[in-house]
Amino acid sequence: MSEHQLVAIDGRDALVYVLVRPGNDDAHVSVEAAARGISKTSAALILRQIADNWDAEEGDAPAH
């Protein structure tokens, strides 16, 4: 990725966050994630729903 963009997010009230950044090479990414005030199981279900929605937008079948 050659473009860099600065993003400021106020996450003080975030229940879940996931940051995905480029890794050391094109085959890897760096992931930082946390859940606060919600169980990790609930957070995972929310993220699964987001993934399913993105798959549907692309015309793909859900991954599970």
Side-chain angles (χ1 to χ4, degrees):
M1 173 181 246
S2 61
E3 289 187 33
H4 296 280
Q5 184 176 20
L6 178 63
V7 177
I9 299 171
D10 179 358
R12 290 176 285 186
D13 62 348
L15 295 174
V16 176
Y17 76 85
V18 178
L19 299 173
V20 181
R21 297 184 180 100
N24 294 332
D25 56 46
D26 290 341
H28 295 90
V29 295
S30 170
V31 178
E32 180 182 340
R36 184 178 50 196
I38 188 173
S39 73
K40 288 182 179 180
T41 300
S42 293
L45 289 171
I46 292 165
L47 293 171
R48 179 73 259 153
Q49 184 176 7
I50 292 167
D52 288 346
N53 289 342
W54 286 354
D55 285 345
E57 289 173 8
E58 297 292 323
D60 299 332
H64 55 88

